[in-house]
Amino acid sequence: MVAPDPDAPPPTVFVAYTHDSPQHKADVRAFAGLLSANYVLVELDQWAEGQRQDWYAWAHRHITTSDYTIIVASPQCKIVGDGGGPATENRGARAEMSVIRDLLQDDRGKWLPKLLPVVLPGRDVAEIPHFLQPRAADHYRIDELTDQGVEGLLRVIFKRPKAVRPPLGRPPVLPQEAADRPPVAEPSWRGLSDEVDVLWRTDIEALSRTWPAQWPATLEVHLAPVGDARISMTRLRDLERGLPLYAAERGILDVRAGVDTSLAEDAVRVSSRDPFRTDGGGMAVLRTGQRSAWMILPQGRIGSVLIPDDVVRKIQLMLSALAELGPALPELVVPTAGIDPVSLVRRGEAHDLTSNQASMPMSNVALVRLRADECVSSADLVATTGQIAVELAERLLAKFRVPGR
């Protein structure tokens, strides 16, 4: 069986169903009791009786705030869910189904995983409303009202699949003959006598006065010009209109989740409205010619995890997006990167995201930033983006000690 974490709050579930018969109501109540006995906080109308209720408001509140909504299949559930039957019957269930249909239509990606059709013993898959895709999407058949009978459903509610993806191994060694090995271009790094000025994300957000009170560990990448490469305000205004869509197309953020765009005197910037979303990120272009991008690090049960492959991938993605964003790059640029904040960041692998134990080697450090004193040509940046991403990632990762090594 699923072993819930006793220190974690229980998942919340709202049970939507129709009152087909006294027996069906009793079966639903027994099913809800079984979930409660397995550390699930269930909201059921039969347990909310005893005082006068605005049942529509009660249902709407729990549907929109619970982790999951379970829809129990039955003949009346199918009729009401698909909008059939007399409007004077099953008014409570009819209102609940209307809310559920509307939420699913508004944001299918968010609500499809939160709506769980359940088929109790004696009921049939055909009794699931069509709008919940009984055949094309998952449903959960309960063959018996026992712990074993609800195990599959509990695994979904607790996000504990039976089969766990194994950790990713190292790439295989596949030697090539010398004659077949293509030449690999390498960037030419040039040292500078002094660091160039870089506005980091905190500085950029301060220009538009939108810096949030809290934010997750964020990986940021900057291309700072060597020499004067100023951009006109007219060009910045043009970028303001297209930057959100460009950032979304390059995979840096999701505009459907809401973004904030601002044009200050010295910068245009777009950033995810909710900084804690897994697809949260942002981009900025400064009048000085600097271009910047940021994406959050994977968030585990404890803090954020620096996964080497993920760091390289994100840096390469952001470098490519910045290099291909007009106007044209100056002849020489300084690529640099940083992580802010780092107090709850550790180096690890994908399987460390689900670990309940962690050592934070940078707990006494607020942020990590690479020096901005080495440049490459813009031609090298475009031709060797992958190698530059690896170089920046290695410099960042070297600052994080792996426990036990």
Side-chain angles (χ1 to χ4, degrees), residues 170-337:
R170 294 189 175 276
V173 178
L174 303 172
Q176 293 178 294
E177 294 182 4
D180 296 333
R181 186 177 296 124
V184 177
E186 291 288 342
S188 297
W189 292 91
R190 311 181 198 180
L192 301 173
S193 56
D194 296 303
E195 286 193 73
V196 300
D197 292 330
V198 174
L199 281 188
W200 295 83
R201 186 188 173 190
T202 52
D203 308 312
I204 294 170
E205 297 282 8
L207 292 176
S208 55
R209 300 174 182 173
T210 55
W211 189 235
Q214 290 183 327
W215 62 95
T218 303
L219 173 64
E220 51 187 290
V221 170
H222 307 275
L223 291 179
V226 177
D228 192 359
R230 291 189 174 273
I231 300 173
S232 69
M233 280 297 295
T234 301
R235 187 71 179 101
L236 288 182
R237 281 196 297 272
D238 291 340
L239 284 171
E240 181 187 18
R241 290 189 287 270
L243 195 58
L245 182 59
Y246 180 82
E249 290 174 343
R250 301 311 295 256
I252 292 177
L253 51 72
D254 187 349
V255 293
R256 294 172 301 178
V259 297
D260 288 320
T261 306
S262 63
L263 176 62
E265 180 180 353
D266 294 309
V268 60
R269 152 212 160 276
V270 60
S271 190
S272 296
R273 190 166 295 156
D274 180 358
F276 285 88
R277 284 182 60 94
T278 56
D279 51 10
M283 292 186 72
V285 180
L286 280 59
R287 277 206 68 218
T288 60
Q290 176 183 321
R291 304 145 188 247
S292 304
W294 51 89
M295 302 175 72
I296 72 168
L297 294 173
Q299 299 175 69
R301 289 189 175 181
I302 303 177
S304 300
V305 182
L306 270 178
I307 304 170
D309 289 345
D310 179 71
V311 174
V312 172
R313 181 186 66 82
K314 282 186 168 72
I315 292 178
Q316 183 170 356
L317 184 151
M318 289 188 278
L319 283 176
S320 296
L322 296 175
E324 295 170 20
L325 175 67
L329 289 168
E331 181 180 354
L332 297 175
V333 292
V334 175
T336 189

Side-chain angles (χ1 to χ4, degrees), residues 7-346:
D7 296 325
T12 55
V13 166
F14 176 77
V15 177
Y17 70 106
T18 52
H19 297 184
D20 291 44
S21 67
Q23 182 59 53
H24 184 60
K25 287 183 64 176
D27 290 343
V28 171
R29 186 170 61 251
F31 165 66
L34 185 58
L35 293 183
S36 297
N38 279 278
Y39 200 62
V40 178
L41 183 58
V42 179
E43 293 296 340
L44 181 70
D45 61 353
Q46 298 179 57
W47 296 340
E49 296 172 349
Q51 61 180 349
R52 190 166 186 248
Q53 292 270 17
D54 180 339
W55 289 106
Y56 173 81
W58 176 83
H60 185 277
R61 180 173 70 255
H62 290 301
I63 290 171
T64 54
T65 60
S66 295
D67 296 320
Y68 297 97
T69 292
I70 288 176
I71 299 92
V72 182
S74 69
Q76 286 299 314
C77 177
K78 178 177 176 59
I79 293 171
V80 171
D82 288 331
T88 55
E89 297 179 2
N90 295 295
R91 290 179 175 175
R94 198 174 295 277
E96 292 174 6
M97 293 298 177
S98 296
V99 171
I100 294 169
R101 285 198 303 267
D102 198 54
L103 292 171
L104 188 60
Q105 178 70 18
D106 180 60
D107 191 341
R108 193 169 194 83
K110 173 182 177 180
W111 286 97
L112 183 68
K114 292 166 70 71
L115 302 177
L116 309 179
V118 164
V119 181
L120 294 181
R123 303 259 61 98
D124 191 86
V125 176
E127 298 170 355
I128 299 173
H130 276 126
F131 81 94
L132 291 172
Q133 298 179 263
R135 306 294 181 184
D138 292 315
H139 61 270
Y140 304 92
R141 183 184 292 276
I142 310 299
D143 293 325
E144 57 181 19
L145 292 176
T146 63
D147 287 351
Q148 290 71 29
V150 296
E151 179 177 344
L153 178 64
L154 290 175
R155 288 189 176 280
V156 173
I157 293 173
F158 285 97
K159 297 182 174 65
R160 297 288 296 278
K162 193 168 187 177
V164 180
R165 184 191 297 272
L168 191 65
R170 294 189 175 276
V173 178
L174 303 172
Q176 293 178 294
E177 294 182 4
D180 296 333
R181 186 177 296 124
V184 177
E186 291 288 342
S188 297
W189 292 91
R190 311 181 198 180
L192 301 173
S193 56
D194 296 303
E195 286 193 73
V196 300
D197 292 330
V198 174
L199 281 188
W200 295 83
R201 186 188 173 190
T202 52
D203 308 312
I204 294 170
E205 297 282 8
L207 292 176
S208 55
R209 300 174 182 173
T210 55
W211 189 235
Q214 290 183 327
W215 62 95
T218 303
L219 173 64
E220 51 187 290
V221 170
H222 307 275
L223 291 179
V226 177
D228 192 359
R230 291 189 174 273
I231 300 173
S232 69
M233 280 297 295
T234 301
R235 187 71 179 101
L236 288 182
R237 281 196 297 272
D238 291 340
L239 284 171
E240 181 187 18
R241 290 189 287 270
L243 195 58
L245 182 59
Y246 180 82
E249 290 174 343
R250 301 311 295 256
I252 292 177
L253 51 72
D254 187 349
V255 293
R256 294 172 301 178
V259 297
D260 288 320
T261 306
S262 63
L263 176 62
E265 180 180 353
D266 294 309
V268 60
R269 152 212 160 276
V270 60
S271 190
S272 296
R273 190 166 295 156
D274 180 358
F276 285 88
R277 284 182 60 94
T278 56
D279 51 10
M283 292 186 72
V285 180
L286 280 59
R287 277 206 68 218
T288 60
Q290 176 183 321
R291 304 145 188 247
S292 304
W294 51 89
M295 302 175 72
I296 72 168
L297 294 173
Q299 299 175 69
R301 289 189 175 181
I302 303 177
S304 300
V305 182
L306 270 178
I307 304 170
D309 289 345
D310 179 71
V311 174
V312 172
R313 181 186 66 82
K314 282 186 168 72
I315 292 178
Q316 183 170 356
L317 184 151
M318 289 188 278
L319 283 176
S320 296
L322 296 175
E324 295 170 20
L325 175 67
L329 289 168
E331 181 180 354
L332 297 175
V333 292
V334 175
T336 189
I339 300 172
D340 181 11
V342 298
S343 59
L344 290 177
V345 177
R346 67 191 190 279

